[in-house]
Amino acid sequence: MKNIAVIGAGTMGNGIAHTFAQFGCKVQLIDVSKENLHKGINTISKNLDRMVSKEKISEAQKEETLNNITQQIDIPSGVKNVDLVVEAATENEDLKLKIFQQLDGNCSKDTILASNTSSISITQIASVVSNPERVIGMHFMNPVPVMKLVEIIRGYNTSDKVTKTIMELSEKLNKVPVEVNDYPGFVANRILMPMINEAVETLYNGVAGVYEIDTVMKLGMAHPMGPLQLADFIGLDVCLSILEVMHNGFRNPKYAPCPLLVNMVRAGKFGVKSGEGFYDYSESKKAEKVSSQFDSK
């Protein structure tokens, strides 16, 4: 599988495109916004520069990786003759369903269709595709070029052949694929998001401050980053969206988002990407300091 299309040039999409391109795949990076494409390629280039400076890759490998990526602004042009499409658009079910309907009408019947969704049902996504056995979840972790885990989510109709192919492909990307079944939040976010939500509740109830909560979890539980700082890095809007999917899917009040999280998102405080969340990232150096914790050692 050498020809890949990635839909969405945001944080996850450009990371996925970077990873495939670095391992020799020809990648069509698709986004309706030329500005997003430009930002995505710039991010990939900067991350490759960091790898060159750390002598993890050569300058020639950097150029080869960038040359493996072609920018596209519409799905029909970008998904012709590809072996795999990885959708990495915003975590919105209606948007994802529309994208997969387009893919169904424009891809070869043999093209595997994957979603990088972190919580939305793969079975639901596959329901709008004429042959749902080719739909699967590939939930990469952020930052994609560094993090080893890929959750491989089987929908109700996902075939054994497609699952085996994607597991093997993930290993070729030097990732560790873990197969999980299709339930809200899968494994990673089913465990992570309630922890983040509980940290927000702890702050909301006045038990301790932001720094104190994160320090307890970092020093007491050996987490590399506290849950509130991690929420800022993920995006508070993304955390809220995942919790809402889980709350609606399980109908269990334990997944109900904390009112403080809801209000922060309503106020436009999304974390690192908006300049403010539980921490203040208004100065670029502060944002860089947080991001640098995710550089490979």
Side-chain angles (χ1 to χ4, degrees):
M1 303 188 76
K2 287 293 185 181
N3 297 305
I4 313 296
V6 178
I7 299 176
T11 300
M12 296 305 296
N14 71 60
I16 294 167
H18 170 162
T19 301
F20 275 108
Q22 188 179 330
F23 282 82
C25 296
K26 298 297 183 182
V27 179
Q28 304 290 326
L29 181 58
I30 306 168
D31 199 296
V32 294
S33 166
K34 290 183 179 180
E35 182 182 358
N36 286 349
L37 284 169
H38 180 70
K39 288 180 179 178
I41 294 297
N42 277 347
T43 298
I44 294 170
S45 183
K46 288 177 182 178
N47 288 337
L48 288 168
D49 283 338
R50 189 179 292 117
M51 295 177 77
V52 171
S53 69
K54 294 184 177 183
E55 299 183 347
K56 292 185 175 295
I57 62 171
S58 67
E59 187 68 34
Q61 287 173 313
K62 171 197 167 182
E63 293 304 318
E64 183 180 358
T65 298
L66 289 173
N67 288 336
N68 281 336
I69 303 173
T70 301
Q71 301 174 53
Q72 299 282 356
I73 59 170
D74 67 277
I75 288 175
S77 299
V79 300
K80 290 180 180 178
N81 304 315
V82 298
D83 305 307
L84 167 69
V85 179
V86 182
E87 170 273 315
T90 304
E91 193 73 352
N92 178 286
E93 183 175 314
D94 290 340
L95 175 61
K96 291 184 186 294
L97 294 180
K98 288 177 182 177
I99 289 172
F100 273 79
Q101 285 174 327
Q102 283 187 275
L103 294 177
D104 192 43
N106 288 282
C107 291
S108 161
K109 63 180 179 62
D110 297 320
T111 302
I112 295 175
L113 308 179
S115 176
N116 182 58
T117 179
S118 54
S119 60
I120 297 170
S121 167
I122 297 301
T123 303
Q124 177 66 12
I125 291 172
S127 69
V128 300
V129 175
S130 55
N131 45 342
E133 66 275 4
R134 64 172 170 163
V135 179
I136 195 166
M138 290 186 78
H139 180 207
F140 290 87
M141 303 294 124
N142 185 28
V144 180
V146 175
M147 301 293 277
K148 291 288 189 180
L149 176 67
V150 185
E151 270 190 310
I152 306 299
I153 304 105
R154 292 190 65 147
Y156 190 82
N157 293 303
T158 305
S159 72
D160 291 340
K161 179 181 178 181
V162 165
T163 303
K164 183 174 184 291
T165 299
I166 295 303
M167 293 285 284
E168 291 174 351
L169 176 62
S170 299
E171 290 173 350
K172 290 177 182 177
L173 299 176
N174 199 26
K175 301 298 185 187
V176 178
V178 177
E179 182 182 335
V180 305
N181 290 319
D182 186 21
Y183 292 95
F186 316 130
V187 172
N189 282 319
R190 184 168 179 173
I191 296 170
L192 174 62
M193 287 302 152
M195 182 190 74
I196 287 176
N197 199 42
E198 193 61 32
V200 181
E201 286 278 0
T202 303
L203 177 66
Y204 180 59
N205 292 331
V207 178
V210 171
Y211 172 80
E212 289 76 15
I213 291 167
D214 278 353
T215 300
V216 167
M217 296 305 291
K218 286 191 289 185
L219 300 185
M221 315 317 174
H223 291 190
M225 166 178 296
L228 300 176
Q229 189 179 21
L230 178 57
D232 276 354
F233 185 82
I234 294 169
L236 303 191
D237 54 334
V238 176
C239 293
L240 177 59
S241 176
I242 295 169
L243 283 164
E244 287 174 339
V245 167
M246 294 169 64
H247 188 220
N248 292 334
F250 289 116
R251 302 294 180 184
N252 189 323
K254 76 176 181 179
Y255 298 114
C258 175
L260 175 58
L261 178 62
V262 174
N263 275 343
M264 290 180 71
V265 172
R266 286 174 177 168
K269 300 181 187 301
F270 301 147
V272 174
K273 62 186 174 184
S274 70
E276 185 179 358
F278 293 106
Y279 294 86
D280 183 2
Y281 307 94
S282 55
E283 297 176 22
S284 60
K285 288 184 179 180
K286 291 182 179 180
E288 289 170 5
K289 183 178 179 181
V290 174
S291 298
S292 69
Q293 296 187 41
F294 284 81
D295 290 344
S296 55
K297 304 297 184 184

